[in-house]
Amino acid sequence: MDNNYFTEKIAPKNKPEEKPAQSAPRQKINPDEFVEHRQNHPNNEEKRPQRAPRQERPDRQERPQRPERQERAERPEKPERPERAERRENSPKPEKKPADPGAVVEIIGVRFKDVGKVYYFAPNGVAFEQGDRAIVETARGIECGDIVLTNRTVPESTIVSPLKSIIRKATPADIKQLEEKRRQEKEIMQVFGEKIAQHRLDMKPIDVDCTFDGSKILFYFTSDGRVDFRDLVKDLASVYRTRIELRQIGVRDEAKMLGGLGICGRPFCCSSFLGEFQPVSIKMAKEQSLSLNPTKISGTCGRLMCCLKYEQNCYEEFLRTTPKVGAYVETSEGRGRVSETNLLTGILKVQLDKNPDAPITVNKADVKLLKDGQVRISRDEMKALKNLEDK
């Protein structure tokens, strides 16, 4: 398209250009005339007195230079006011009450699960017998627990003060209410499994626990990873109209709650008498000279057996007095290295330098230790057994 089209439409030819109107030239005002005009204005009845012309000040004298500041260490210390010092001396100082090592406190032991941790409470002047039940206040709410430790006095330094007092001794009505709660837990457990299946969550329901006052319901489950169960909590809260709390537990807690038989043929230690889990490591199995076969040193839960902890203190004492595998010793037949040890009997097998193919058997009391060895776990063993330890 021709560019003349736009030129004719937008800026037609032969059209005189409009010039902006020129404004009148602005008169210059003399400042002297302006001042005189203001002073002679008819509205100004009174004339302000004119100021005297500013006189020139004589030359200022140069100020003397400020002396240099003294260093902090050289500054003289300010004397303290005598009134303040006297007031400080006369003011009573708070006396620190020393802890009485002979102070004792009366306690009772309460357990809320068949095999669980024992919590201490103040009996509040009530005498309890073995098998009684008490209503107490816990962090979860009002609970009813069994008395496993009757009234006794213990040193105050052995407990965490202050102890919470019991609310009351359980009455037959309280025991009946507790049995009703246990019956409801079985029904809630079925609903819990159905809700998990409806929401298609990767969870395994384990147990349900209702507080004695009904203010909270705790749901226990296991899972391989993290689970977003927010919708499940809302669904359960709409059904039971109370506070809902979901807790993800480990495989050891699962075995403790469900129970079962171990590889020894006896019930699980955790579900029989262990109140708390003790840390168990692969190093314990190595120091006890056990076979590092996962099927032989792990329990039904898939973790290291809790019984490895029972005799660990004895094995550690034996290791202090017994040469370890790889130690260099002096025997009656010559020098050699320890190839095998039996910590319980103290019998050693030593490969002599002069005849390493025929090891000899000696007692640890008949050898002289020259250089001790170390109990080490190889990388291959650690890699194969890393899943057996608690994470």
Side-chain angles (χ1 to χ4, degrees):
M1 186 180 292
D2 193 3
N3 293 334
N4 295 332
Y5 173 81
F6 297 98
T7 306
E8 294 176 357
K9 291 292 183 181
I10 298 175
K13 296 180 179 180
N14 303 326
K15 186 175 181 180
E17 296 182 359
E18 296 181 358
K19 294 182 180 181
Q22 296 181 357
S23 59
R26 188 175 182 180
Q27 293 181 353
K28 293 183 179 181
I29 301 175
N30 191 358
D32 298 337
E33 297 177 356
F34 179 70
V35 174
E36 184 179 358
H37 175 73
R38 287 190 58 188
Q39 293 176 354
N40 299 330
H41 198 273
N43 295 335
N44 296 338
E45 298 178 355
E46 298 180 358
K47 296 182 179 180
R48 294 182 181 179
Q50 296 183 357
R51 294 182 180 181
R54 188 174 182 179
Q55 297 179 0
E56 295 183 0
R57 296 182 180 180
D59 296 337
R60 295 182 180 180
Q61 297 180 0
E62 295 182 358
R63 295 182 180 179
Q65 295 182 355
R66 177 179 289 183
E68 296 181 358
R69 299 180 64 180
Q70 298 180 359
E71 296 294 335
R72 186 176 297 274
E74 298 177 359
R75 295 181 187 175
E77 297 182 358
K78 294 182 179 180
E80 188 176 8
R81 296 180 181 178
E83 301 175 357
R84 187 175 299 177
E86 184 179 358
R87 193 185 308 160
R88 185 182 296 108
E89 292 177 0
N90 298 334
S91 60
K93 297 181 180 179
E95 297 181 0
K96 294 183 179 179
K97 296 182 179 180
D100 187 4
V104 294
V105 62
E106 186 180 8
I107 65 165
I108 57 171
V110 181
R111 179 180 287 166
F112 303 102
K113 292 288 186 180
D114 295 336
V115 181
K117 185 178 178 180
V118 178
Y119 297 89
Y120 297 145
F121 291 89
N124 201 13
V126 181
F128 288 92
E129 296 180 359
Q130 195 77 20
D132 291 345
R133 292 180 177 178
I135 308 299
V136 297
E137 182 181 359
T138 65
R140 300 192 308 178
I142 305 299
E143 293 284 353
C144 181
D146 299 329
I147 304 297
V148 293
L149 296 177
T150 57
N151 301 56
R152 63 190 64 192
T153 56
V154 296
E156 190 176 1
S157 57
T158 60
I159 62 173
V160 180
S161 299
L163 290 177
K164 288 187 176 182
S165 300
I166 65 168
I167 298 177
R168 65 178 183 274
K169 194 173 183 178
T171 60
D174 294 332
I175 297 176
K176 185 176 181 181
Q177 181 180 352
L178 182 62
E179 294 176 353
E180 180 66 19
K181 292 291 182 184
R182 297 293 174 261
R183 187 188 62 81
Q184 292 178 1
E185 289 176 356
K186 297 180 180 179
E187 299 177 359
I188 297 173
M189 187 66 183
Q190 297 179 356
V191 177
F192 184 37
E194 294 174 359
K195 295 296 182 182
I196 290 176
Q198 290 179 5
H199 290 272
R200 298 181 180 180
L201 297 176
D202 186 14
M203 299 166 56
K204 180 181 177 183
I206 301 299
D207 195 10
V208 174
D209 189 8
C210 298
T211 58
F212 181 76
D213 58 352
S215 60
K216 183 191 297 185
I217 303 178
L218 290 90
F219 297 86
Y220 299 94
F221 70 94
T222 58
S223 179
D224 295 336
R226 299 184 62 180
V227 182
D228 185 6
F229 48 75
R230 290 175 293 183
D231 295 338
L232 176 61
V233 172
K234 295 178 182 178
D235 197 356
L236 293 172
S238 63
V239 175
Y240 297 105
R241 299 294 180 179
T242 186
R243 184 178 177 185
I244 303 297
E245 185 174 342
L246 270 70
R247 291 185 180 180
Q248 184 174 357
I249 61 176
V251 290
R252 280 195 169 188
D253 296 305
E254 177 185 0
K256 182 181 181 67
M257 291 182 177
L258 299 180
L261 299 177
I263 59 175
C264 58
R266 295 179 59 85
F268 293 158
C269 298
C270 56
S271 61
S272 301
F273 58 89
L274 284 182
E276 296 180 359
F277 290 107
Q278 299 294 330
V280 186
S281 62
I282 301 172
K283 186 180 179 182
M284 295 182 182
K286 188 73 173 181
E287 291 175 348
Q288 297 176 22
S289 302
L290 298 177
S291 174
L292 298 184
N293 188 348
T295 59
K296 293 184 178 182
I297 61 176
S298 61
T300 308
C301 61
R303 298 292 184 266
L304 293 172
M305 294 186 296
C306 298
C307 55
L308 295 178
K309 183 69 176 180
Y310 298 162
E311 300 176 352
Q312 180 62 21
N313 295 335
C314 297
Y315 279 100
E316 290 177 356
E317 184 64 26
F318 291 148
L319 284 171
R320 295 191 188 97
T321 59
T322 305
K324 303 177 183 63
V325 175
Y328 200 60
V329 296
E330 178 76 28
T331 66
S332 59
E333 300 183 15
R335 296 184 177 182
R337 292 188 178 276
V338 178
S339 60
E340 187 178 342
T341 62
N342 190 330
L343 296 177
L344 300 180
T345 60
I347 302 300
L348 309 177
K349 283 189 178 182
V350 182
Q351 293 178 342
L352 300 176
D353 294 343
K354 59 183 180 181
N355 189 8
D357 296 335
I360 62 174
T361 302
V362 294
N363 194 294
K364 65 177 182 180
D366 300 333
V367 300
K368 180 181 179 181
L369 181 63
L370 301 179
K371 184 180 179 181
D372 201 1
Q374 294 181 356
V375 179
R376 295 181 178 180
I377 304 175
S378 63
R379 292 184 177 180
D380 296 338
E381 293 174 341
M382 196 66 186
K383 185 177 180 180
L385 305 174
K386 65 179 182 179
N387 294 329
L388 299 182
E389 289 186 345
D390 286 337
K391 299 179 181 178

